[in-house]
Amino acid sequence: MTTISANLQAVKSRIQAAARSAGRDAGAARLLAVSKSWPAASVRAAFTAGQRAFGENYVQEGVAKIHALDDLDLEWHFIGPLQSNKTREVAEHFDWVHSLDRVKIAERLSAQRPAGAPPLQVCLQVNVSGEDSKGGGAPAETAALARAVERLPRLRLRGLMAIPEASDDVELLRRRFALLRELLAQLNRDGLQLDVLSMGMSDDFEIAIAEGATIVRLGTAIFGPRPTKGLA
Ligand SMILES: *Cc1c(COP(=O)(O)O)cnc(C)c1O
């Protein structure tokens, strides 16, 4: 068994155990394998081990891998910061975007999504830690952004995404994840039908699952420490 397939198995059992101990279904949280900075061959190895959904942070790197692997039936998620001059590439090549935080970007993605493709599945990124350096909209602006995105014909709003600050403080991380869960619940009380909480990375995914994550985004736990740390 390769390291990647052993890591995948280990991580999947931790995901299931975390869900069960939170009183949720074992399959309640889906695994997104974050392949940024790893070559197409690593993605292929993970696919062989049964993984279908992959996340990329950089448009050019992601599109190159999508082309290199177009013989495989993969689901591609864009999870990085998105500039307006890169929206067309994302709209044309990816299945999901987790990092939507501006109406202007949403409008471009909707306009540029090819007619033959299914709607682009999107999550709104919320800045739950209040750090200036983090992407994402302010929690108080989430509802207005959600209403604007809901109206766009080629996007399908699925839920919310967050990246809390790295921290050893479990209670702090719990509060960050709980805030995202409460924001989603409020949007649903206001009449939306959102089913995705994209939260939790290699160092904190068990806490995120305890707080309701439905997608966890793991890179290091599957592929190992990234070779080009500077980029990440
Ligand atoms: C890199 C990255 C991840 C994965 O991080 P790990 O700590 O390697 O699991 C998840 N989400 C986003 C948005 C990332 O940029």
Side-chain angles (χ1 to χ4, degrees):
M1 191 157 49
T2 68
T3 309
I4 289 174
S5 88
N7 288 349
L8 266 173
Q9 278 197 14
V11 132
K12 280 192 218 161
S13 31
R14 283 173 65 192
I15 290 171
Q16 291 171 1
R20 280 198 214 92
S21 60
R24 305 176 63 201
D25 286 346
R30 243 186 119 197
L31 173 59
L32 179 65
V34 177
S35 45
K36 68 175 177 216
S37 87
W38 292 100
S42 303
V43 175
R44 200 174 279 280
F47 172 84
T48 304
Q51 180 64 25
R52 292 289 177 281
F54 293 87
E56 288 285 336
N57 277 58
Y58 307 99
V59 176
Q60 266 167 300
E61 180 192 337
V63 169
K65 268 176 246 183
I66 291 170
H67 286 311
L69 295 162
D70 70 0
D71 57 315
L72 305 181
D73 183 21
L74 302 178
E75 186 181 283
W76 289 100
H77 295 233
F78 187 76
I79 62 176
L82 186 48
Q83 310 301 327
S84 33
N85 61 349
K86 299 280 172 63
T87 52
R88 181 176 298 280
E89 294 253 68
V90 170
E92 289 180 352
H93 292 99
F94 283 83
D95 303 295
W96 284 69
V97 172
H98 292 226
S99 44
L100 198 53
D101 61 2
R102 280 180 288 158
V103 179
K104 183 187 163 201
I105 298 288
E107 287 169 345
R108 291 177 64 91
L109 287 171
S110 181
Q112 293 166 343
R113 182 70 169 168
L120 187 63
Q121 311 290 302
V122 300
C123 293
L124 306 182
Q125 184 176 351
V126 182
N127 183 346
V128 292
S129 54
E131 292 171 288
D132 289 344
S133 60
K134 284 280 156 63
E141 289 157 13
T142 310
L145 181 57
R147 276 192 297 274
V149 170
E150 264 280 302
R151 286 194 289 264
L152 295 171
R154 304 293 291 131
L155 304 187
R156 168 125 187 264
L157 181 59
R158 295 294 300 272
L160 303 177
M161 182 274 241
I163 313 173
E165 65 269 56
S167 171
D168 294 331
D169 183 342
V170 173
E171 287 312 312
L172 176 93
L173 291 171
R174 265 187 186 281
R175 288 198 300 278
R176 303 298 194 224
F177 293 133
L179 171 59
L180 199 70
R181 185 191 63 229
E182 283 156 18
L183 283 170
L184 190 88
Q186 184 60 53
L187 293 173
N188 283 335
R189 282 194 296 272
D190 291 344
L192 298 183
Q193 290 185 317
L194 308 182
D195 60 349
V196 172
L197 276 175
S198 167
M199 58 188 197
M201 307 181 12
S202 293
D203 288 335
D204 58 16
F205 70 91
E206 279 142 328
I207 306 166
I209 290 170
E211 294 300 327
T214 66
I215 297 180
V216 292
R217 308 177 310 267
L218 309 188
T220 311
I222 297 168
F223 298 106
R226 277 180 284 280
T228 49
K229 274 264 167 184
L231 273 181

